[in-house]
């Protein structure tokens, strides 16, 4: 066995002892990142090319730092994003909601649909929509000053990789509760992955110790920000416009009622993620 494969085997047991959920995948991904090779070519790395800084990465992961902070990169649909301390790492479940929004925008008979992404973080949702819906104009709102430099860098990276997105994602600083007043009644789709963890809930160390708390927690039942999204979507959407909001798996019924017909919405629906768990609610402005 090559030196690198032997070191990976030791790293796997160290990560497993530290309680990391997928120790082999993580050890191999960090080795591939550190040695600049695809995971499938790890066994071809010559012993002389072994980079001992691999062990710095393993120590960080054993301290439960998120993988994406160690590699500095997260992938979201067709967008590659820079992530690290201060910004939320985008999740695969949010890709499903974003795909739903892209499908609805593509079906709309609107040449340049106007979209609001409330709590954009890394810019994942906004940039994926700009990349996949060619005419879309996306207004991305973010309140955390530590997150915004990441958003700005990611907008620039996305424009470099996909020039057709140039000028179509605009970052707005501030609280989404009072944002985008000049767009009241003119937005085709509002989308948000807001904070939704109840304050005091237990979360894994990767989340609780490394993700910004403004991205995670939202009141005693976790629904404070979702209620704000409902109110803001009611103000921003044009008649027939759509809203999509992500929530935690046990919150499907509660979020359905936030967007119920009694609150002035129609076609309110619960949607699942790829694991079959309740993950987002959509509704239409009458
Ligand atoms: C769960 S993260 C989602 C980030 C990104 N949209 C994603 O899906 O990866 C929620 C984001 O909303 C931002 N946020 C929370 N409350 C906000 C508010 N009232 N106004 C503006 N941004 C807010 C947080 O700073 C964080 O970046």
């Amino acid at each position: 066995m090559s030196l690198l494969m032997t070191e990976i085997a030791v790293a796997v047991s160290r990560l497993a002892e530290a309680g990391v959920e997928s120790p082999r995948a993580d050890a191999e991904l960090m080795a591939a990142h550190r040695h600049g090779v695809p995971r499938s070519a790890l066994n071809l790395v010559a012993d002389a090319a072994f980079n001992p800084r691999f062990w710095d990465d393993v120590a960080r992961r054993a301290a439960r730092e998120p993988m994406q902070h160690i590699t500095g990169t997260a992938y979201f649909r067709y967008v590659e994003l820079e992530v690290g301390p201060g910004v939320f790492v985008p999740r695969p479940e949010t890709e499903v909601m974003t795909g739903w929004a892209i499908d609805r925008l593509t079906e709309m008979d609107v040449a340049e649909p106007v979209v609001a992404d409330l709590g954009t973080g890394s810019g994942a949702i906004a940039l994926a929509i700009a990349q996949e819906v060619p005419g879309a104009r996306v207004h991305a709102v973010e309140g955390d000053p530590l997150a915004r430099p990441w958003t700005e860098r990611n907008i620039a990276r996305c424009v470099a990789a996909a020039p057709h997105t140039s000028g179509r994602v605009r970052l707005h600083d501030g609280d989404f509760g009072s944002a985008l007043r000049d767009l009241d009644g003119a937005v085709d789709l509002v989308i948000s992955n807001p904070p939704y963890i109840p304050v005091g809930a237990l979360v894994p160390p990767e989340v609780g110790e490394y993700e910004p708390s403004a991205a995670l927690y939202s009141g005693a039942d976790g629904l404070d920000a979702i209620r704000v999204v409902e109110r803001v979507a009611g103000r921003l959407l044009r008649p027939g416009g759509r809203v999509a909001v992500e929530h935690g798996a046990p919150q499907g019924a509660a979020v359905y009622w936030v967007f119920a017909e009694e609150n002035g919405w129609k076609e309110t629906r619960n949607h699942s993620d790829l694991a079959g768990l309740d993950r987002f609610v959509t509704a239409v402005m009458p």
Side-chain angles (χ1 to χ4, degrees):
M1 206 191 311
S2 72
L3 175 61
L4 179 57
M5 297 312 282
T6 310
E7 301 286 315
I8 288 173
V10 180
V12 171
S13 7
R14 196 157 298 173
L15 295 178
E17 275 165 31
V20 170
E21 210 175 274
S22 46
R24 172 154 301 279
D26 288 11
E28 291 183 358
L29 284 168
M30 288 187 289
H33 170 72
R34 183 54 75 189
H35 293 86
V37 296
R39 200 169 154 190
S40 56
L42 284 170
N43 59 338
L44 304 177
V45 173
D47 290 357
F50 174 69
N51 185 341
R53 291 190 62 202
F54 168 63
W55 283 105
D56 299 341
D57 301 336
V58 174
R60 289 172 68 184
R61 189 68 191 103
R64 307 294 295 271
E65 194 169 338
M67 265 300 292
Q68 294 88 342
H69 283 202
I70 296 166
T71 61
T73 306
Y75 298 91
F76 188 83
R77 293 184 67 90
Y78 304 105
V79 186
E80 187 178 311
L81 299 149
E82 269 184 49
V83 291
V87 74
F88 184 80
V89 175
R91 305 292 206 273
E93 48 268 34
T94 309
E95 292 180 313
V96 179
M97 175 175 70
T98 306
W100 176 92
I102 287 167
D103 290 347
R104 298 296 78 75
L105 287 163
T106 307
E107 283 165 12
M108 274 178 198
D109 193 16
V110 180
E112 295 192 346
V114 178
V115 179
D117 172 19
L118 304 181
T120 197
S122 64
I125 297 174
L127 292 169
I129 290 176
Q131 205 194 62
E132 294 183 59
V133 185
R137 308 261 152 201
V138 190
H139 295 269
V141 184
E142 178 52 53
D144 185 347
L146 294 178
R148 287 196 296 264
W150 295 99
T151 330
E152 281 162 8
R153 273 198 296 280
N154 284 324
I155 292 173
R157 278 173 72 104
C158 186
V159 168
H164 71 282
T165 60
S166 178
R168 295 199 294 104
V169 178
R170 200 171 139 208
L171 177 60
H172 301 258
D173 301 351
D175 189 328
F176 57 59
S178 52
L180 309 178
R181 290 211 175 267
D182 51 329
L183 293 177
D184 280 2
V187 173
D188 295 288
L189 186 137
V190 171
I191 186 165
S192 182
N193 174 20
Y196 52 70
I197 300 175
V199 171
L202 274 183
V203 293
E206 283 87 346
V207 178
E209 289 172 28
Y210 293 97
E211 300 269 25
S213 55
L216 304 177
Y217 304 105
S218 194
D221 61 359
L223 299 178
D224 283 6
I226 288 177
R227 293 189 188 97
V228 175
V229 170
E230 189 272 335
R231 186 166 49 74
V232 175
R235 161 167 76 71
L236 290 175
L237 288 173
R238 51 124 172 122
R242 292 172 183 272
V243 57
V245 65
E246 186 171 315
H247 57 73
Q251 296 169 326
V255 177
Y256 180 93
W257 287 108
V258 173
F259 288 88
E261 288 182 10
E262 289 85 334
N263 277 351
W265 295 95
K266 64 174 193 175
E267 296 177 38
T268 306
R269 304 271 185 275
N270 286 105
H271 301 258
S272 309
D273 60 20
L274 292 173
L277 301 169
D278 260 0
R279 186 57 65 190
F280 64 103
V281 164
T282 63
V284 176
M285 172 63 67

